[in-house]
């Protein structure tokens, strides 16, 4: 690459197939960055976009209650993101700005967190979020087959539903967003599915299809364990720390299989060795 004369283009980048900028060298040999985007797009990039935040008017008190829990207001960001998600069913750009305003943060700081954690959805989610564990053990036990079957079942002929795609109109009754999850921490009960983060254990492709069909009909089958099933917006509100009903925290979270080892140890009188009061550090080789 050479810069043989004034005005010579010497660099640039692309996003997909669209150029984003070019750099030129003028007579003073100083680099200038000139946008090659249409003028309207350039204006959009450099102008602060102010979203309509009125959709969140009803949660301002709850937002302030969350902030009051923490000595540093920025520590409230995670539950705040769940709170705005409970309103729209995802974290919109307006939700980003609402959190930034309430917490006195830059929108970029909020976006950095919202895009890092997969529990915050960046596009409208269905009434129900169905998560299929496809990590190693669940995959080996049939998780991959369950995910493939649900993609076909919820998609259109010849066009299976993709990760974080929705069958039906997002937010409407009976709509379902599907995702594959790396691990749902229930290896002893795999393959497992979660609906709005409630467990459905020991699944098969046929059982998974029956489950999503029931959800589409407006039914809410009881989870294998945990609280009664609600919907994605409602569970987002719970994750923000607000429980509307006593039943939101009802139900055992553990399974018989999970407690089998502890029960066996209790039945046989097995105990772990007591920890010594002090432990001497081993001699370390000097470097």
């Amino acid at each position: 690459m050479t810069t043989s004369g004034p005005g010579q283009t010497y660099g640039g980048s692309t996003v997909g197939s669209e150029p984003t900028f070019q750099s030129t060298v003028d007579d003073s040999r100083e680099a200038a960055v000139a946008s090659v985007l249409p003028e309207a797009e350039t204006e959009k990039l450099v102008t602060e976009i102010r979203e309509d935040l009125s959709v969140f008017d009803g949660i301002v008190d709850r937002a302030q209650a969350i902030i009051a829990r923490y000595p540093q207001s920025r520590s409230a960001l995670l539950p705040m993101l769940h709170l705005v998600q409970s309103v729209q069913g995802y974290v919109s750009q307006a939700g980003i700005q609402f959190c930034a305003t309430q917490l006195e943060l830059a929108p970029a700081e909020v976006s950095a967190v919202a895009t890092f954690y997969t529990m915050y959805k960046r596009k409208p989610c269905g009434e129900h979020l169905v998560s299929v564990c496809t990590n190693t053990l669940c995959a080996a036990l049939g998780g991959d087959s369950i995910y493939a079957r649900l993609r076909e079942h919820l998609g259109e002929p010849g066009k299976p539903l993709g990760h974080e795609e929705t069958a039906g109109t997002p937010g409407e009754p009976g709509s379902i967003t599907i995702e594959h999850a790396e691990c749902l921490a229930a290896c002893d009960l795999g393959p497992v599915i979660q609906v709005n983060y409630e467990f459905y254990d020991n699944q098969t492709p046929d059982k998974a299809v029956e489950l999503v069909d029931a959800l589409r009909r407006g039914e809410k089958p009881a989870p294998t364990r945990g609280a009664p099933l609600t919907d994605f917006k409602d569970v987002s509100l719970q994750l923000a720390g607000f429980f509307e009903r006593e039943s939101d925290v009802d139900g055992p979270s553990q399974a018989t299989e999970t407690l089998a080892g502890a029960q066996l140890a209790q039945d046989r009188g097995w105990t772990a060795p007591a920890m010594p009061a002090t432990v001497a550090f081993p001699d370390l080789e000097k470097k």
Side-chain angles (χ1 to χ4, degrees):
M1 180 171 63
T2 61
T3 56
S4 57
Q8 171 70 45
T9 296
Y10 73 91
S13 69
T14 60
V15 178
S17 60
E18 297 297 325
T20 56
F21 68 87
Q22 290 179 334
S23 296
T24 59
V25 179
D26 60 17
D27 290 334
S28 64
R29 311 302 295 169
E30 292 179 350
V33 178
S35 172
V36 295
L37 292 173
E39 184 177 348
E41 290 296 318
T42 303
E43 182 70 15
K44 184 177 178 181
L45 289 175
V46 300
T47 303
E48 183 180 0
I49 300 173
R50 294 195 175 277
E51 301 282 345
D52 180 7
L53 306 186
S54 62
V55 67
F56 303 114
D57 287 349
I59 63 167
V60 172
D61 288 345
R62 281 181 162 171
Q64 290 301 311
I66 291 173
I67 294 170
R69 301 173 191 164
Y70 300 91
Q72 298 291 331
S73 62
R74 67 182 300 125
S75 300
L77 178 54
L78 296 183
M80 283 281 288
L81 287 167
H82 284 299
L83 182 65
V84 298
Q85 188 161 257
S86 75
V87 175
Q88 295 183 301
Y90 73 116
V91 179
S92 66
Q93 196 59 36
I96 295 287
Q97 290 197 4
F98 176 80
C99 290
T101 300
Q102 295 291 318
L103 298 172
E104 298 182 348
L105 296 173
E109 293 177 282
V110 179
S111 293
V113 174
T115 55
F116 182 83
Y117 294 103
T118 60
M119 290 178 80
Y120 303 122
K121 305 305 179 189
R122 295 312 314 277
K123 57 184 180 181
C125 199
E127 179 187 22
H128 299 293
L129 173 67
V130 175
S131 311
V132 183
C133 184
T134 55
N135 212 334
T136 308
L137 185 55
C138 276
L141 292 173
D144 283 344
S145 298
I146 291 171
Y147 183 59
R149 178 78 174 276
L150 288 182
R151 291 184 64 212
E152 294 280 353
H153 185 69
L154 294 171
E156 300 174 1
K159 187 180 179 182
L161 213 60
H163 173 66
E164 289 193 345
E165 291 186 352
T166 301
T169 303
E172 293 296 317
S175 57
I176 293 176
T177 298
I178 189 173
E179 67 176 1
H180 63 81
E182 279 302 304
C183 183
L184 298 181
C187 299
D188 47 348
L189 298 162
V192 296
I193 289 176
Q194 283 184 341
V195 178
N196 309 325
Y197 307 120
E198 299 293 348
F199 279 102
Y200 293 81
D201 304 319
N202 297 311
Q203 291 292 299
T204 65
D206 287 343
K207 288 167 67 175
V209 167
E210 291 175 8
L211 174 60
V212 298
D213 283 348
L215 296 172
R216 296 173 92 177
R217 292 193 300 266
E219 301 171 17
K220 293 182 179 178
T224 308
R225 49 201 164 92
L229 187 65
T230 58
D231 58 43
F232 182 67
K233 288 183 179 180
D234 202 15
V235 81
S236 295
L237 185 62
Q238 294 174 28
L239 290 167
F242 300 97
F243 301 92
E244 306 284 87
R245 302 160 296 271
E246 282 190 26
S247 61
D248 288 343
V249 292
D250 278 353
S253 60
Q254 75 277 10
T256 303
E257 294 89 338
T258 306
L259 301 178
Q263 186 63 53
L264 183 64
Q266 182 178 335
D267 294 344
R268 299 188 179 184
W270 296 343
T271 58
M275 289 291 293
T278 58
V279 178
F281 283 100
D283 292 332
L284 299 177
E285 181 180 352
K286 295 183 178 180
K287 295 183 180 180

